[in-house]
Amino acid sequence: MRGQRPSTGREMEVDMGLIVKTMARVTIPFIGIFGAYIVMHGHLTPGGGFQGGSTLAGAGILFLVAFGLKEAEKKVNKKVYSALEGVGGLVFLGAALLGFSVAFFYNTLWHNGPFFNGKPGTLLSAGFLPIMNLAVGLKVFSGFVAVAVSIAAFRRWRG
Amino acid sequence: MSTIHTVLPLIVVLPLLGAFSSPILDLISRKLKEAWILAISAGTLGVTGYVFYYVFKNGPLLYTMGATNPFGHANFPIRIVWEIDMFNALMALTVAFVSLMAIIYSVEYMKRDTGLEKYYPLILILELGMLGIVVTGDLFNFYVFLEIMSIASYALVAFRNDTWEGIEAGVKYMMVGALASSFILLGIALLYGQYGTLTMAYIAYKMAGHMTTTAKVALALLMAGLLFKSGSVPVHMWLADAHPAAPSSVSAMLSGLVIKAGGIYILARILFSIYGPSINVRTVGWIVIIFACLTLIVGNAMAVVQTDMKRLLAYSSVGQMGYILLGVGIGLAAYGSNVGNLALAGAIYHTVNHALMKALLFLIAGAVIHALGTRNLNDLSGIAKTMPVTSFAFIIGAAAIIGMPPLNGFASKWILYESSALFNPVIGAIAIIGTAFCTAAYVRVIYTFFGRPNSLTMKAKDPGKSMLIPIIILTVAIIVMGLFPWTINKDFMLPAAKALVNQMGYIHTLFAGGV
């Protein structure tokens, strides 16, 4: 860091200028779509909830870095994101408990329907796996975004 | 589909539910969240109590994830199984009990802290990891739970991040823990490569007929990693930093439970249930005994010279882990004989006892810190006058850990002395020298407590209800367990030791669950 412009400790609060902001505006929707695709095809192609969720969080973190903390804090409430992470976990747990009458993690949707029991290889197949991927995607996305915003907000060591 | 199969998965479902729902409840009200966490933790204790009762009455239990039997259409197990005998059930009950005590204690102890929205989920995840480790019968499932437990404890050690002590200890713990975890993972990978399965009982079955060098290397790696995790002596340095730096309720769980569930329990399970008689039990047993002797001498001796109360307790934990390791080592070296079973029963007994005693002592250290703001022994002189209940509980805990006759520590230590003396008199002598150091350390603290009060200690007073209740419950548990030592040993500890030694029974449970 030596030899550069002295740090004020407030770099995160301001945006990164017009060029970066314009590029971010263009790319964020595409990153989001790609992340959603990875999450939804988790049971068909490589990737899944964690990978897709991280990609989605990449869009959020790009927004934070390009537009600055002030702009991001208008959009991100840390507590709500923390709660959303909990919702993701609870949905995962709920999906695991669906077949509880047979066993924990029993894939009753796949065996008995009524949905997600299509032909293997199609989008609506694999029972609880798509639900779990969505839940993990939500958990990872909200968790990473909350972490990034917290790191930006609670930076204590200046200079 | 019997009741037990419906109830058993709740062991991990309940803490997970509590951990995930607590940030949502946090949006509503803090009181509600605390009540919810307490209810979850009490429910977990109820479930483990029921499982323990069931296993005690009906023998070992097999549970398959995601289906009714572990086999599917194959003739070998392909699913994750949980396998619970007396030994696991006892450990699970201890974990749930001490965790509940630590959580009740936290309500008041952590009242003035910020960041509680992370604290309660983390402490439930720590409990979940330990419960998962003790119920699982699958090596990779064990590894996942081990990491869940370890990462929660790294975060909890560094919880007081306004001091450098916590952060330094947390980072150190994380480095050492990650190194140990990678040893363990490598060992598991080698076993999987060699035998093509991760189910512990099935590995044991295949290993009995076909022992290879790879499996022996895997054993060395697993033992190295688990000795790290249990704070055995050449690699105990992280423990003495990490356990004092955490908040006291967490220290109680770390010292009382984490080093046992994530270290000794799984080490014993791997040594006895997976390897068992397939290896040269005398050699491996003696390796464990040598580490144990080093641990119990160095740990207890280091405890004598500490001036920081929590550091003293942490070193004492190292020393007591030495006794437990000694029991495991003799149990392995004298595999199958009466001396071996007795030593193993002593080790299991001491594991349970030490969980209660060390949890009690750390909770008391927390009460002292809460009242005085210091844990330097030189400033605590005369605390017995102003904090009578706490000091009385400390005397009970210290006497139990030294091994004074009417308390629970006496029975387990006596069994360990007896079996080690029968096995080899020199080891018996070493065990008693360790206790001499341990006595010196604790007598010094008690002497300080009864000294002349200074201006600081005159203002101290006993903590409030939520901190006092767990202290009293643990004290009563220690006294009551001390009243029936031989019944407990005969009815619970010896059957647990025999279940651990009975490798054929462990394998049989898996295959019987398959039909």
Side-chain angles (χ1 to χ4, degrees), chain B residues 175-296:
Chain B
M175 295 291 175
V176 175
L179 186 65
S181 294
S182 45
F183 276 137
I184 295 168
L185 186 59
L186 188 53
I188 293 172
L190 287 181
L191 278 181
Y192 185 53
Q194 183 69 69
Y195 295 108
T197 179
L198 288 163
T199 309
M200 290 186 197
Y202 198 61
I203 293 179
Y205 170 72
K206 295 197 90 170
M207 194 179 275
H210 181 59
M211 185 70 198
T212 62
T213 314
T214 313
K216 286 177 189 161
V217 174
L219 177 65
L221 287 165
L222 287 167
M223 270 176 71
L226 291 169
L227 286 174
F228 255 109
K229 291 264 179 197
S230 56
S232 165
V233 145
V235 282
H236 66 291
M237 66 292 177
W238 60 270
L239 194 151
D241 281 340
H243 289 188
S248 292
S249 47
V250 177
S251 307
M253 283 176 80
L254 289 175
S255 247
L257 303 173
V258 168
I259 49 178
K260 302 195 178 72
I264 288 290
Y265 162 74
I266 199 71
L267 183 65
R269 187 53 89 197
I270 285 171
L271 284 176
F272 287 92
S273 291
I274 296 185
Y275 283 83
S278 312
I279 40 165
N280 185 343
V281 285
R282 262 198 109 67
T283 316
V284 180
W286 270 100
I287 293 173
V288 177
I289 291 173
I290 289 168
F291 276 114
C293 290
L294 273 174
T295 308
L296 71 89

Side-chain angles (χ1 to χ4, degrees), chain B residues 279-504:
Chain B
I279 40 165
N280 185 343
V281 285
R282 262 198 109 67
T283 316
V284 180
W286 270 100
I287 293 173
V288 177
I289 291 173
I290 289 168
F291 276 114
C293 290
L294 273 174
T295 308
L296 71 89
I297 291 290
V298 174
N300 284 322
M302 289 292 279
V304 179
V305 296
Q306 302 303 320
T307 50
D308 179 333
M309 188 171 168
K310 282 180 84 174
R311 222 176 157 78
L312 186 150
L313 295 178
Y315 271 113
S316 162
S317 278
V318 175
Q320 302 300 319
M321 286 311 274
Y323 287 107
I324 299 169
L325 271 176
L326 185 68
V328 172
I330 294 174
L332 193 63
Y335 187 85
S337 68
N338 274 338
V339 174
N341 284 352
L342 190 65
L344 207 51
I348 297 169
Y349 201 172
H350 202 60
T351 310
V352 175
N353 284 347
H354 183 244
L356 300 178
M357 302 183 293
K358 198 42 71 75
L360 172 66
L361 292 174
F362 265 116
L363 294 187
I364 291 168
V368 170
I369 294 170
H370 210 66
L372 294 173
T374 177
R375 52 192 211 219
N376 190 334
L377 279 176
N378 298 327
D379 298 339
L380 300 182
S381 173
I383 219 169
K385 272 217 175 58
T386 45
M387 298 173 76
V389 182
T390 320
S391 305
F392 173 73
F394 188 87
I395 292 174
I396 296 289
I401 212 165
I402 293 166
M404 298 280 260
L407 300 165
N408 65 353
F410 168 70
S412 52
K413 277 200 169 180
W414 183 258
I415 294 171
L416 283 169
Y417 299 148
E418 195 182 325
S419 54
S420 53
L422 282 172
F423 178 71
N424 188 331
V426 178
I427 293 174
I430 291 176
I432 288 172
I433 293 171
T435 298
F437 282 125
C438 178
T439 313
Y442 281 102
V443 165
R444 211 165 61 97
V445 182
I446 293 174
Y447 190 74
T448 313
F449 274 23
F450 281 91
R452 181 198 292 275
N454 59 27
S455 56
L456 190 64
T457 49
M458 283 307 279
K459 288 198 294 271
K461 58 176 193 293
D462 271 329
K465 254 188 242 143
S466 137
M467 278 164 81
L468 216 47
I469 287 171
I471 291 179
I472 291 171
I473 293 177
L474 284 167
T475 315
V476 170
I478 286 175
I479 295 173
V480 170
M481 274 184 78
L483 293 179
F484 312 103
W486 310 127
T487 327
I488 292 174
N489 187 42
K490 194 161 63 62
D491 288 347
F492 301 114
M493 306 304 166
L494 264 178
K498 283 188 179 139
L500 185 56
V501 172
N502 183 2
Q503 195 195 22
M504 288 321 289

Side-chain angles (χ1 to χ4, degrees), chain B residues 155-169:
Chain B
L156 283 170
V157 165
F159 185 74
R160 292 266 164 81
N161 56 7
D162 49 337
T163 60
W164 284 109
E165 189 202 356
I167 295 173
E168 190 204 335

